């Protein structure tokens, strides 16, 4: 966002210098049109960022609907197929557990899009009396799991979040064969980050 805003500022400065210069009308009109497009893109980016930082809809419509919407957004934005399915009794989770799983899904989907170059991603949410499991499986380029420690902040932040929830995470991946991430958390997990305050 900072880079995009800086670019808009540079264009506005150039436009200011050009205003009133003879013969610059066509160039100025083109600059204004470009600025309109860029500010529209910025507005959309800010709206999406706000939604991702504070998915208030989670509290009102539940994890299943919120995740389904997020998967649809990822599918539309990145032009790939994201399939979502959910079992029974998932929306009876506490808000803390639901928020943890939503954050994990956000990060895992972002990782897949950023690094795996998949054509399809499968997101599954299942639950039983004791625990809930989130699986995110892609058909991307995969990676050697021995290199997981060097795989960046994404998996590390997911692992840390899941451990704080006293859950467990499993990652299976092979180069050229995609990646499967599975997270299991107790339905009654007392989460130390419950007061996330929308962040």
């Amino acid at each position: 966002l900072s880079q995009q805003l800086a670019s808009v500022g540079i264009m506005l400065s150039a436009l200011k210098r050009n205003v009133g210069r003879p013969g610059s009308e066509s160039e100025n009109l083109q600059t204004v049109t470009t600025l309109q497009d860029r500010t529209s893109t910025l507005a959309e980016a800010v709206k999406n960022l706000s939604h991702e930082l504070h998915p208030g809809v989670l509290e009102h419509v539940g994890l299943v609907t919120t995740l389904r919407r997020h998967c649809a957004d990822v599918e539309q934005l990145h032009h790939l197929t994201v399939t979502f399915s959910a079992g029974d009794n998932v929306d009876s989770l506490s808000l803390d557990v639901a928020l943890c799983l939503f954050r994990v899904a956000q990060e895992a989907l972002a990782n897949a899009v950023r690094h795996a170059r998949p054509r399809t991603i499968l997101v599954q949410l299942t639950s039983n009396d004791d625990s809930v499991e989130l699986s995110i499986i892609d058909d991307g380029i995969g990676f050697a799991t021995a290199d997981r420690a060097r795989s960046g902040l994404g998996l590390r932040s997911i692992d840390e979040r899941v451990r704080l929830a006293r859950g467990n995470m499993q990652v299976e991946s092979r180069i050229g064969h995609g990646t499967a991430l599975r997270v299991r958390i107790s339905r009654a997990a007392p989460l130390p980050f419950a007061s996330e305050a929308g962040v």
Side-chain angles (χ1 to χ4, degrees), residues 85-135:
S85 67
D88 298 329
N89 301 320
V90 176
D91 272 335
S92 61
L93 298 171
S94 72
L95 181 59
D96 297 336
V97 172
L99 183 58
C100 175
L101 290 168
F102 180 74
R103 295 293 186 221
V104 167
Q106 275 185 310
E107 187 65 46
L109 286 167
N111 271 358
V113 168
R114 188 179 304 121
H115 302 297
R117 301 197 297 273
R119 292 167 304 190
T120 63
I121 304 175
L122 175 63
V123 180
Q124 295 176 313
L125 197 59
T126 58
S127 177
N128 58 36
D129 291 340
D130 301 317
S131 63
V132 59
E133 182 174 300
L134 172 68
S135 300

Side-chain angles (χ1 to χ4, degrees), residues 5-6 10 26-27 32 34 51 54-55 59 64 72 89 91 145 147 156 187 192:
L5 285 168
I10 291 168
S26 177
E27 181 183 347
V32 169
T34 302
H51 175 73
H54 192 167
E59 186 173 358
V64 171
N89 301 320
D91 272 335
T145 51
D147 295 335
R156 290 205 296 273
R187 294 177 65 94

Side-chain angles (χ1 to χ4, degrees), residues 2-197:
S2 294
Q3 290 174 341
Q4 292 180 60
L5 285 168
S7 174
V8 167
I10 291 168
M11 292 182 69
L12 285 169
S13 295
L15 181 63
K16 182 179 179 181
R17 287 194 301 272
N18 267 352
V19 169
R21 185 168 59 84
S24 66
E25 291 82 2
S26 177
E27 181 183 347
N28 291 344
L29 181 60
Q30 184 177 354
T31 300
V32 169
T33 301
T34 302
L35 283 166
Q36 285 179 315
D37 291 341
R38 293 199 180 181
T39 52
S40 177
T41 299
L42 274 165
E44 185 68 19
V46 170
K47 184 186 81 171
N48 290 337
L49 181 61
S50 175
H51 175 73
E52 288 177 8
L53 288 174
H54 192 167
V57 69
L58 185 65
E59 186 173 358
H60 300 293
V61 301
L63 179 61
V64 171
T65 299
T66 306
L67 259 185
R68 182 175 284 114
R69 289 180 185 175
H70 186 65
C71 288
D73 289 344
V74 171
E75 181 175 70
Q76 182 178 13
L77 185 61
H78 298 284
H79 308 293
L80 47 83
T81 300
V82 183
T83 303
F84 174 76
S85 67
D88 298 329
N89 301 320
V90 176
D91 272 335
S92 61
L93 298 171
S94 72
L95 181 59
D96 297 336
V97 172
L99 183 58
C100 175
L101 290 168
F102 180 74
R103 295 293 186 221
V104 167
Q106 275 185 310
E107 187 65 46
L109 286 167
N111 271 358
V113 168
R114 188 179 304 121
H115 302 297
R117 301 197 297 273
R119 292 167 304 190
T120 63
I121 304 175
L122 175 63
V123 180
Q124 295 176 313
L125 197 59
T126 58
S127 177
N128 58 36
D129 291 340
D130 301 317
S131 63
V132 59
E133 182 174 300
L134 172 68
S135 300
I136 299 177
I137 304 163
D138 70 65
D139 65 352
I141 61 175
F143 61 93
T145 51
D147 295 335
R148 180 176 160 192
R150 299 195 299 274
S151 60
L153 289 175
L155 281 178
R156 290 205 296 273
S157 68
I158 290 173
D159 191 39
E160 180 178 337
R161 183 176 286 277
V162 171
R163 283 190 297 105
L164 285 170
R166 300 177 187 171
N168 62 74
M169 178 183 86
Q170 294 180 332
V171 179
E172 299 171 6
S173 186
R174 282 192 302 149
I175 293 175
H177 292 84
T179 300
L181 181 144
R182 293 181 175 86
V183 167
R184 182 179 292 274
I185 297 176
S186 168
R187 294 177 65 94
L191 305 190
F193 44 82
S195 58
E196 206 177 81

